[in-house]
Amino acid sequence: MTAVQNMPSRDTGQDAACRSGQLIRERGQHEVFCGLTSIMWLHRKMQDAFFLVVGSRTCAHLIQSAAGVMIFSEPRFATAIMEERDLAGMADMHDELDRVVEELLQRRPDIRMLVLVGSCPSEVIKLDLSRAAERLNRRLAPRHRVLSYSGSGIETTFTQGEDNFLAALVADGATQPAKAETASLVIAGCLADVVEDQFARLFRDLGIADVAFLPSRSSEALPAIGPDTRYILAQPYLGATAAALEARGAKRIDALFPLGEEGTTAWLKAIADSFGVAPALFDRITEAPRQRALSAMAHYRPWLEGRKIFLFPDSQLEVPLARFLFREAGARIVEAGSPYLHREHLAGELALLPDDAALSEGQDVDRQIDRCLAADPDLIVCGMGLANPFEAEGHVTKWSIEFAFTPIQGYEQAGDLAELFARPLMRDVILSGTRRPAPGGTA
Amino acid sequence: MKLSMWTYEGPPHVGAMRIAASMKGVHYVLHAPQGDTYADLLFTMIERRPSRPPVTYTTFQARDLAGSTADIFKTACREAVERYRPDTLLVGASCTAELLQDDPGGLARTLDVGVPVVPLELPSYQKKEHWGAAETFYQIIRTLAGNRERPAEIAPNSCNILGPSALGFRNRDDVTEITRLLERNGLDVRVVAPLGATPADIARLPEAAFNIVLYPEIADTAARWLKKTYGMPFTSTVPIGVHATRRFLAEVRALAGLPEAEAGDDGTDRMTWYARSIDSNYLTNKRVFVFGDASHAIAAARIAAEEMGFKVCGLGTYMREFAREVRAAAADLGVEALISDDHLEVERAIIEARPELVLGTQMERHIAKRLRVPCAVISSPVHVQDFPARYSPQMGFEGANVIFDSWVHPLMMGLEEHLLQMFRDDFEFNDDAQASHLHAVSPSASPSASVAAEEEDAAPVPAQGTAEDDMALWTSDAEKELRKVPFFVRGKARRNTELFAESKGIHPITVETLYDAKAHFAR
């Protein structure tokens, strides 16, 4: 299981080297999503893929509670619900799965890629989905391609589901004949279509060719990866994907994540340097969008400057978001919580966080709520299980799942990203009848 | 293993959470893996509660499986009691924890937490949400009201309301409506449970004369036990619809020993007149397919047939526990009941029945969208838009008013329906367009859209496989003529004509056959 390497490590020795701030490591109730939730955006990104969760009624209920507010004439995900008799004897579980897959493909013959998604129950009983995927692949290829990954809560937190999916895509590519030329640059991490297009234009203008995005929009347009491939992460939660890419010989380009003007410039600069782009060309190409990003930011900075912000763990985006809030919006970071800190991928981000910001990995939600209330922040970034209860107690919150669902990367989105944080503060002012933000500080 | 596109019910521990979240002074410690806290969102987002549900999860992870997950559970229990100081503690396991077999009940007993503990045995791989809720409610009542003395003197008009709960479809407003109605009829409502009740309230349940069961799915088990243990009778009529509300009031008055009375609506029943007014004439015999939980489906089918003048062409429920009641109601209406929790089977039944309106759950909205049939929601599972801010009961006389509005709304209005039959090639109002009161969409410039729609209509069900064979039965003139039949009855016309042709051995179907069949069946 690729996800195992993503488990929080217990050693503490190296933390001090990363930064001087306070590190809180906790174990208690984790108020987070499991990796199955990543299906929510992956099914839209890759429209010819179908996600079949092998799990319990709880898993089915989770997905439809999240996505069922949209009305689907053709659902792109489903659950093979394990029943009592499946648990009685393991032998026929694979037959059962084959039958369910057959039923599904009969209804949806247009599916190109079938993704078997592991859950807590399927992993606790050690149902081997990777073997099932191999077997089904032999039978269904080339018409349908079958993959598997784990989205279970015991192994993965929220966006780690995407990490495992991408790692499975990369690993699977090894067994597939390469259709295209080997990509020279792979951008790893699901991005909004519009963001992808913007980056693709910038790469073209910088003269960088053979750029591929992972995941691709179609299951048939996956990039070929080899020792000549360099890759860069567009998302911070891709530990397993990075390992899978490296296993195929690709080399990582280290950079900040492309959030805000500073992050995007650093990210693009790292790529440009790696490909030997002349600094003058880089400056010329990025000058205008950088100015646009800065002027868009200027609208929202007055709302965020000097505000105390507390971030609960959710998606691993918290550290780059905190860096953006602190460096570009002038906010004060009380605590940035993350379900998992990938020290190597986040090294640049951590170095830019303010010294007085607490950093937490893992969670004991009750204690974290106590800390949060004691700090009395101006804005709490948290999941939807906590947001309305905080609001009802008079706090202003920004629900964090939106960062996984909104175009926030790149220059043109820098203002939008700042607005996501400023909006609840604006709304608070509107609804409580005040007219203007307090200049440069707490309300 | 069962392929499930959409599930009608959550797992049983979600039912238990609904009971815990309904009540005050109750805390639930749930042995569950990281991620199962998604269920909090059902309450904080879908129901928009302003507080966290009273649930502590152990949220174990893979690395914990090597160690003692039982110790994690015990720690969570101890800390939850210390922090939240509940009057009663519920303990149980989710589906994954059930596989670990840590026995939360046994562990909690060894802890001696100082408050009553209700251990919940909810078999996740056999049972579902409503069963979990009913079982939890019953176990709480057994624990807290199990050894009470009934007072010697009990006022005959005193009653409890059982069944309303968190995440129940319109339960908030149903309770208000029914309580008001009962009080106007001289009843004394003592305890409403589980919604808003404390453990002390539960202990007082045996002090009323009888019980009113508003939601049998949640309260039937508990009401039966209270009857067996304390001899408390309970009501069997669910007051959804004008007729049912009148029957309910008569039943309640009889149980309370009150004289028979004309069940007055105080002028709040507008549904009866609205359905009578000539504007509703065109609703006559519109074909409706009804699906939902047992009580809402039965009530809806009766309202549809008797109060709206629709023709019920299908009735079903996903609740096997109440199959008998639904079968009886379906037999009364001359249809066969569909008892299934398989969304695909429901879809097949709806395609087969060719309704003009679907009254179902959030899940039937997916089917209705695919088939382009109007749809209204009558039962859980529901989503956030069915926890509205405005007063929207389903029960009582105001509930009937709400039902009239929400069922008629998705249908095309009378004048538009008439004009569509008269003039078929209008660039703005045509088969391809939705009812104009529903969507602001300007006419599409592309003629291909309407062609695609026609094709879809010809073969709406790829899985059925027979549509293509049927095509060969029709001459192209007849096929063109069929498209002049308004879209909402076209499916029915196609099927009737084919049945007619088959019975007469006619092949192929011509324009004449189409009209012969029309005369034969007469709409």
Side-chain angles (χ1 to χ4, degrees):
Chain A
M1 282 289 135
T2 41
V4 172
Q5 52 199 275
N6 257 0
M7 302 311 298
S9 59
R10 282 168 191 274
D11 60 317
T12 49
Q14 66 185 83
D15 300 327
C18 288
R19 49 186 303 284
S20 53
Q22 183 198 357
L23 181 91
I24 304 160
R25 260 235 187 79
E26 279 182 328
R27 175 68 187 87
Q29 178 175 323
H30 288 202
E31 182 87 17
V32 291
F33 282 128
C34 65
L36 295 182
T37 327
S38 57
I39 294 171
M40 238 30 51
W41 62 90
L42 293 176
H43 84 270
R44 287 289 171 89
K45 183 74 192 181
M46 206 177 250
Q47 295 189 17
D48 56 351
F50 191 99
F51 295 83
L52 180 66
V53 177
V54 181
S56 65
R57 190 169 300 281
T58 309
C59 310
H61 194 238
L62 156 78
I63 297 176
Q64 81 178 31
S65 301
V69 72
M70 296 178 285
I71 307 298
F72 290 82
S73 58
E74 280 304 347
R76 298 180 207 167
F77 41 77
T79 311
I81 296 182
M82 303 192 305
E83 292 167 316
E84 186 91 305
R85 60 196 184 90
D86 297 312
L87 299 173
M90 280 284 296
D92 70 329
M93 280 283 255
H94 288 279
D95 296 343
E96 284 287 303
L97 185 59
D98 288 3
R99 185 182 52 73
V100 164
V101 166
E102 196 163 310
E103 192 184 338
L104 174 66
L105 291 178
Q106 219 161 45
R107 184 190 157 97
R108 296 290 311 279
D110 54 308
I111 294 167
R112 301 297 295 162
M113 178 184 278
L114 178 65
V115 190
L116 305 178
V117 191
S119 66
C120 300
S122 77
E123 272 163 30
V124 165
I125 64 164
K126 305 209 183 320
L127 175 62
D128 191 345
L129 284 186
S130 59
R131 221 183 67 205
E134 260 172 50
R135 192 188 56 243
L136 286 163
N137 235 336
R138 276 198 297 277
R139 213 179 67 212
L140 300 169
R143 188 168 171 157
H144 312 281
R145 192 166 151 195
V146 188
L147 287 189
S148 74
Y149 75 90
S150 166
S152 74
I154 56 176
E155 297 271 4
T156 60
T157 306
F158 194 37
T159 47
Q160 280 182 308
E162 177 183 324
D163 186 21
N164 281 356
F165 173 59
L166 298 190
L169 278 179
V170 172
D172 183 62
T175 62
Q176 300 283 322
K179 279 186 184 161
E181 296 285 293
T182 307
S184 62
L185 176 64
V186 169
I187 312 296
C190 187
L191 293 169
D193 292 347
V194 63
V195 177
E196 251 184 49
D197 296 343
Q198 291 164 6
F199 283 149
R201 277 199 297 275
L202 286 168
F203 295 139
R204 189 197 58 203
D205 294 347
L206 291 169
I208 301 169
D210 302 324
V211 183
F213 290 88
L214 182 74
S216 46
R217 295 185 200 183
S218 146
S219 68
E220 285 167 358
L222 286 167
I225 294 149
D228 296 334
T229 306
R230 273 166 279 186
Y231 75 95
I232 189 160
L233 302 179
Q235 300 283 10
Y237 45 74
L238 297 175
T241 306
L245 285 163
E246 309 230 333
R248 314 252 345 250
K251 309 272 180 305
R252 186 170 73 92
I253 300 173
D254 185 50
L256 293 183
F257 290 93
L259 297 172
E261 184 275 331
E262 182 185 34
T264 304
T265 303
W267 189 77
L268 288 169
K269 183 73 178 152
I271 297 170
D273 288 350
S274 171
F275 282 82
V277 175
L281 175 65
F282 182 83
D283 290 345
R284 186 161 58 76
I285 298 299
T286 55
E287 176 59 22
R290 286 179 70 168
Q291 287 312 316
R292 280 203 297 274
L294 291 172
S295 70
M297 272 298 300
H299 293 291
Y300 304 105
R301 193 174 161 111
W303 288 92
L304 297 167
E305 200 156 23
R307 301 290 178 125
K308 285 191 289 181
I309 301 184
F310 193 108
L311 298 96
F312 278 75
D314 188 43
S315 62
Q316 298 186 45
L317 279 157
E318 294 81 9
V319 169
L321 288 174
R323 181 263 302 159
F324 164 78
L325 286 167
F326 167 62
R327 304 264 301 178
E328 298 190 42
R332 292 155 63 193
I333 306 300
V334 180
E335 178 174 330
S338 176
Y340 172 63
L341 290 170
H342 196 297
R343 305 231 167 11
E344 191 190 339
H345 293 171
L346 287 176
E349 298 282 353
L350 290 169
L352 293 179
L353 282 188
D355 282 347
D356 59 345
L359 196 61
S360 65
E361 182 177 23
Q363 189 178 34
D364 181 328
V365 73
D366 287 332
R367 292 207 175 92
Q368 197 165 29
I369 288 171
D370 290 345
R371 280 202 303 279
C372 177
L373 294 178
D376 191 25
D378 299 299
L379 184 68
I380 304 172
V381 181
C382 62
M384 295 194 287
L386 302 177
N388 271 337
F390 273 135
E391 292 276 349
E393 289 171 10
H395 302 278
V396 181
T397 62
K398 165 73 216 117
W399 54 284
S400 51
I401 297 100
E402 203 169 10
F403 300 112
F405 288 143
T406 312
I408 54 171
Q409 291 83 5
Y411 291 125
E412 317 303 344
Q413 283 68 237
D416 302 345
L417 176 56
E419 198 217 342
L420 286 183
F421 293 102
R423 194 189 292 154
L425 294 163
M426 293 171 169
R427 190 167 180 77
D428 179 52
V429 168
I430 294 169
L431 298 184
S432 48
T434 343
R435 275 285 158 256
R436 285 176 187 287
T442 48
Chain B
M1 221 176 261
K2 190 167 166 192
L3 177 62
S4 171
M5 295 280 180
W6 300 106
T7 167
Y8 286 98
E9 294 185 71
H13 73 259
V14 169
M17 281 185 72
R18 286 175 56 181
I19 303 300
S22 301
M23 295 180 60
K24 297 188 184 107
V26 172
H27 199 85
Y28 184 18
V29 179
L30 180 62
H31 203 16
Q34 165 176 276
D36 279 6
T37 52
Y38 83 88
D40 283 359
L41 275 65
L42 305 171
F43 301 93
T44 60
M45 296 304 292
I46 295 181
E47 204 175 47
R48 284 186 232 248
R49 279 169 72 104
S51 56
R52 293 174 68 205
V55 183
T56 295
Y57 305 78
T58 54
T59 56
F60 56 83
Q61 290 173 279
R63 61 191 158 127
D64 300 320
L65 296 179
S68 172
T69 48
D71 286 343
I72 293 178
F73 178 81
K74 286 200 277 192
T75 307
C77 251
R78 229 181 274 121
E79 289 184 358
V81 171
E82 207 171 292
R83 187 179 181 93
Y84 297 103
R85 307 219 164 271
D87 301 323
T88 300
L89 191 69
L90 309 180
V91 296
S94 80
C95 52
T96 304
E98 192 184 327
L99 299 171
L100 303 181
Q101 302 184 323
D102 280 333
D103 184 22
L107 291 171
R109 265 191 298 274
T110 64
L111 282 179
D112 189 22
V113 289
V115 293
V117 174
V118 182
L120 299 173
E121 295 285 341
L122 309 174
S124 307
Y125 297 91
Q126 287 170 16
K127 303 289 189 182
K128 288 174 282 191
E129 179 178 336
H130 282 103
W131 186 90
E135 172 71 10
T136 303
F137 189 42
Y138 161 67
Q139 292 295 352
I140 289 175
I141 292 176
R142 272 197 71 153
T143 306
L144 300 175
N147 298 304
R148 313 295 288 194
E149 288 283 317
R150 269 198 113 190
E153 298 259 315
I154 294 180
N157 70 337
S158 59
C159 59
N160 305 310
I161 291 181
L162 302 183
S165 69
L167 278 180
F169 182 61
R170 309 291 171 88
N171 287 15
R172 177 196 67 193
D173 298 338
D174 283 348
V175 168
T176 307
E177 183 69 14
I178 293 304
T179 306
R180 206 182 279 162
L181 195 63
L182 290 170
E183 284 171 355
R184 271 211 310 267
N185 275 270
L187 275 294
D188 177 14
V189 177
R190 294 282 170 85
V191 175
V192 177
L195 195 63
T198 62
D201 292 333
I202 298 293
R204 290 195 295 124
L205 283 178
E207 293 171 18
F210 64 99
N211 288 315
I212 287 172
V213 175
L214 285 190
Y215 306 95
E217 288 82 356
I218 307 282
D220 191 61
T221 318
R224 281 175 199 283
W225 183 81
L226 286 166
K227 183 176 183 189
K228 196 182 77 186
T229 310
Y230 295 108
M232 301 172 75
F234 61 92
T235 58
S236 60
T237 312
V238 177
I240 303 178
V242 172
H243 295 181
T245 301
R246 292 187 197 281
R247 281 200 306 276
F248 168 79
L249 285 175
E251 186 185 6
V252 169
R253 292 183 71 94
L255 278 174
L258 295 166
E260 268 184 60
E262 190 63 28
D265 58 55
D266 290 349
T268 51
D269 166 26
R270 285 177 292 275
M271 196 256 209
T272 305
W273 165 242
Y274 270 45
R276 170 70 63 178
S277 85
I278 56 164
D279 193 50
S280 300
N281 230 305
Y282 82 113
L283 301 176
T284 311
N285 284 332
K286 273 212 186 290
R287 300 169 56 80
V288 295
F289 189 98
V290 184
F291 195 83
D293 69 26
S295 338
H296 285 92
I298 293 172
R302 294 211 172 113
I303 296 168
E306 295 163 14
E307 301 178 39
M308 299 289 278
F310 291 143
K311 168 90 186 135
V312 175
C313 64
L315 169 60
T317 183
Y318 52 83
M319 305 193 72
R320 223 160 272 286
E321 298 90 331
F322 293 86
R324 204 159 45 107
E325 289 85 341
V326 176
R327 285 209 177 90
D332 279 352
L333 294 164
V335 291
E336 198 174 327
L338 171 68
I339 313 294
S340 173
D341 62 354
D342 182 345
H343 182 254
L344 296 177
E345 200 178 327
V346 176
E347 183 180 79
R348 282 193 289 274
I350 291 178
I351 287 166
E352 181 63 23
R354 309 254 173 188
E356 293 162 74
L357 172 68
V358 173
L359 301 174
T361 72
Q362 175 76 8
M363 303 306 132
E364 277 61 55
R365 297 180 67 193
H366 300 288
I367 302 173
K369 179 182 180 187
R370 182 163 185 238
L371 304 176
R372 300 201 309 148
V373 180
C375 181
V377 171
I378 59 155
S379 151
S380 61
V382 294
H383 230 291
V384 60
Q385 62 270 56
D386 275 300
F387 287 91
R390 66 183 185 278
Y391 186 57
S392 337
Q394 296 285 292
M395 292 184 174
F397 297 110
E398 185 58 28
N401 296 339
V402 169
I403 284 174
F404 181 90
D405 289 346
S406 58
W407 292 10
V408 172
H409 176 77
L411 295 171
M412 185 165 287
M413 309 247 250
L415 174 64
E416 187 162 346
E417 186 177 313
H418 282 295
L419 289 174
L420 203 63
Q421 292 177 56
M422 302 247 323
F423 312 109
R424 310 202 43 78
D425 297 325
D426 191 279
F427 65 86
E428 181 177 357
F429 302 93
N430 53 51
D431 280 4
D432 194 33
Q434 274 222 330
S436 68
H437 70 287
L438 293 180
H439 273 279
V441 179
S442 66
S444 147
S446 142
S448 63
S450 81
V451 171
E454 290 285 1
E455 279 163 6
E456 193 186 328
D457 171 67
V461 215
Q464 292 285 299
T466 54
E468 268 180 48
D469 309 338
D470 294 349
M471 287 297 288
L473 298 174
W474 291 71
T475 64
S476 62
D477 280 353
E479 194 62 49
K480 268 188 211 136
E481 199 70 10
L482 179 67
R483 286 176 196 183
K484 295 177 189 167
V485 178
F487 72 93
F488 40 84
V489 284
R490 197 180 301 147
K492 181 75 183 160
R494 170 185 291 280
R495 201 172 59 153
N496 278 351
T497 308
E498 284 166 2
L499 279 175
F500 178 77
E502 200 186 310
S503 70
K504 301 275 179 202
I506 298 170
H507 183 88
I509 291 167
T510 64
V511 175
E512 275 67 35
T513 324
L514 180 66
Y515 286 117
D516 286 344
K518 183 171 190 272
H520 179 78
F521 289 103
R523 181 182 151 77

